[in-house]
């Protein structure tokens, strides 16, 4: 803004600069969250194509390059032949087939490295510029910790399938996915917190409900990872019953029974179905409550959008199950789950800001 002498008013210039910095930080956070979304989808494809064990070594620096000549490809293929998965699942695999599964895993690892650069380099710049102070700085630090942990857990997951198994351990797969989801959610939470101040306040109860729904969506994502890791989607391909029963035989049949949650295909699918029903019911109740509390408000519109996402996600999950888990549907199901989580986190953050009036 110009004063009467024609010069820029210093306070206005400072406010404009601060606003530009805030928008830049917000764009950075959301961009990295979008990259993590893509990485999770690529990771899902890697899992569904049985490609995750094609690279049998962890080389954080030199591993950025794939094999560059025929001898290197032969050496990588020979290393794969020494793990149980090759003999049990792929004894007839050719070098061309190996290159195809190698490409998925290599692409997944390359994308993880690119995400690290996309997060670290701008983050250092914003930190030096003083744009990451206070609560935002703590949120970015939390995301940094998650990102640093993710490749370590990723190799821990891969290593579980190199000796005595033909696939990675489903518990480690679930942890790996949940860390990625936690990073994704933290970045969205931080970015949404930088938006314009809310124009109205909501009750503390509605804010608490929104946070609880985000937590439930996060839990459901973990249960879905257990289903994927156990290949539990390839059994009981009927709905709404499982082998003609609401409570299938063998449910919680392992001893001790809590082990069934992590290790039993029947229990894993049953749990995932049950929590899916809870997610849909919770979303519908939340939408109704938000509309009654504040009709036509942004709170009510967000809650209604979450309800639509939850219903669509459940329907896509049923379709994926009935079609016996085709890769395309399975990846859409996983992607929509992440969108639901991201939307739930954003809704919870906004409801929290509206409760606080800031």
């Amino acid at each position: 803004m110009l004063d009467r002498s024609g010069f820029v008013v210093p306070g206005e210039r400072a406010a404009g600069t601060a606003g530009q910095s805030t928008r830049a930080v917000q764009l950075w956070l959301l961009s990295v969250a979008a990259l993590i979304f893509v990485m999770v989808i690529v990771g899902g494809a890697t899992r569904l194509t049985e490609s995750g064990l094609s690279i049998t070594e962890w080389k954080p620096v030199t591993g950025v390059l794939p094999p560059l000549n025929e001898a290197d490809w032969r050496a990588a293929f020979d290393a794969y032949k020494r793990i149980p998965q090759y003999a049990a699942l792929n004894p007839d695999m050719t070098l061309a087939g190996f290159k195809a599964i190698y490409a998925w895993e290599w692409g997944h690892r390359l994308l993880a490295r690119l995400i690290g650069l996309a997060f670290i380099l701008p983050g250092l710049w914003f930190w030096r510029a003083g744009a990451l102070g206070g609560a935002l700085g703590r949120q970015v630090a939390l995301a940094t910790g998650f990102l640093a942990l993710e490749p370590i857990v990723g190799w821990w997951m891969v290593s579980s399938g190199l000796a005595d198994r033909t696939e990675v351990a489903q518990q480690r797969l679930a942890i790996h996915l949940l860390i990625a989801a936690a990073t994704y959610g933290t970045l969205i939470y931080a970015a949404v917190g930088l938006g314009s101040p809310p124009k109205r306040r909501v009750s503390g109860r509605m804010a608490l409900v929104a946070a609880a729904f985000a937590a439930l969506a996060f839990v459901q994502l973990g249960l879905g990872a257990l289903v994927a890791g156990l290949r539990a989607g390839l059994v009981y391909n009927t709905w709404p019953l499982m082998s003609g029963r609401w409570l299938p035989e063998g449910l919680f049949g392992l001893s001790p029974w809590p082990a069934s949650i992590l290790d039993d295909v029947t229990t894993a699918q049953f749990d995932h179905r049950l929590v899916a029903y809870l997610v849909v019911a919770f979303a519908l109740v939340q939408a109704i409550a938000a509309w009654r509390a504040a009709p036509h408000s942004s709170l009510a519109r967000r809650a209604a959008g979450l309800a639509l996402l939850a219903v669509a996600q459940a329907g896509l999950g049923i379709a994926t199950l009935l079609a016996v888990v085709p890769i395309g549907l399975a990846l859409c199901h996983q992607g929509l789950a992440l969108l639901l989580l991201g939307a739930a986190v954003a809704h919870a953050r906004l409801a929290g800001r509206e409760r606080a009036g800031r």
Side-chain angles (χ1 to χ4, degrees):
M1 180 181 293
L2 301 178
D3 66 7
R4 293 181 180 179
S5 64
F7 292 99
V8 176
V9 178
E12 293 291 337
R13 179 167 55 189
T17 302
Q20 291 175 356
S21 176
T22 297
R23 287 191 293 273
V25 171
Q26 190 175 46
L27 178 61
W28 165 60
L29 294 170
L30 291 175
S31 296
V32 177
L35 286 173
I36 291 174
F37 178 91
V38 174
M39 185 183 70
V40 171
I41 299 303
V42 173
T46 301
R47 175 69 186 89
L48 289 166
T49 56
E50 301 288 355
S51 303
L53 298 178
S54 58
I55 302 178
T56 60
E57 296 178 302
W58 188 35
K59 297 179 178 179
V61 178
T62 58
V64 71
L65 295 175
L68 299 177
N69 54 55
E70 194 70 11
D72 290 345
W73 276 114
R74 289 289 178 187
F77 192 22
D78 288 342
Y80 176 68
K81 289 178 179 179
R82 290 193 289 270
I83 70 173
Q85 186 184 83
Y86 173 78
L89 302 180
N90 299 312
D92 299 324
M93 177 174 282
T94 63
L95 181 60
F98 173 71
K99 288 180 179 180
I101 64 170
Y102 188 101
W104 277 113
E105 177 64 7
W106 179 78
H108 185 52
R109 296 190 188 194
L110 179 63
L111 185 54
R113 292 179 172 98
L114 293 176
I115 289 171
L117 291 177
F119 181 78
I120 293 170
L121 296 182
L124 288 174
W125 191 89
F126 287 126
W127 175 70
R128 286 180 62 84
L132 300 180
L136 175 63
R138 292 189 292 273
Q139 292 155 12
V140 170
L142 180 61
T144 303
F146 285 141
L147 276 177
L149 185 61
E150 183 72 336
I152 298 171
V153 172
W155 177 246
W156 177 59
M157 175 190 69
V158 170
S159 65
S160 68
L162 298 180
D164 302 318
R165 302 171 58 103
T166 60
E167 71 287 310
V168 300
Q170 67 276 5
Q171 303 94 330
R172 299 186 189 187
L173 176 67
I175 293 171
H176 187 52
L177 176 61
L178 287 177
I179 292 173
T183 313
Y184 169 79
T186 301
L187 293 171
I188 291 175
Y189 184 90
V192 170
L194 296 174
S196 301
K199 296 180 180 180
R200 62 179 300 168
R201 300 189 63 174
V202 303
S203 69
R205 180 178 298 176
M206 289 306 304
L208 182 61
V209 167
F213 181 76
L216 184 62
F218 182 78
V219 169
Q220 176 67 336
L221 200 64
L223 293 175
L226 290 175
V227 169
L230 288 165
R231 299 189 183 89
L234 300 178
V235 296
Y236 302 106
N237 298 104
T238 57
W239 185 84
L241 303 180
M242 298 174 65
S243 290
R245 300 167 61 99
W246 289 106
L247 298 177
E249 293 183 9
L251 188 64
F252 293 102
L254 299 184
S255 181
W257 70 263
S260 301
I261 298 172
L262 300 177
D263 298 325
D264 176 54
V265 294
T266 300
T267 305
Q269 191 186 126
F270 177 82
D271 290 345
H272 194 48
R273 288 189 185 209
L274 180 62
V275 176
Y277 302 146
L278 290 176
V279 167
V280 171
F282 197 141
L284 292 173
V285 170
Q286 177 181 228
I288 294 169
W291 192 263
R292 288 179 175 175
H296 306 290
S297 67
S298 59
L299 175 79
R301 290 193 295 272
R302 292 196 310 267
L306 283 175
L308 288 175
L309 275 176
V311 171
Q313 171 66 351
L316 190 55
I318 293 168
T320 303
L321 180 72
L322 295 178
V324 197
V325 198
I327 290 179
L329 273 179
L331 293 180
C332 289
H333 183 53
Q334 185 175 36
L336 194 55
L338 273 178
L339 288 177
L340 178 62
L341 175 64
V345 169
H347 176 59
R349 178 61 169 140
L350 289 168
R353 294 186 76 202
E354 289 164 348
R355 178 191 63 179
R358 57 179 173 83

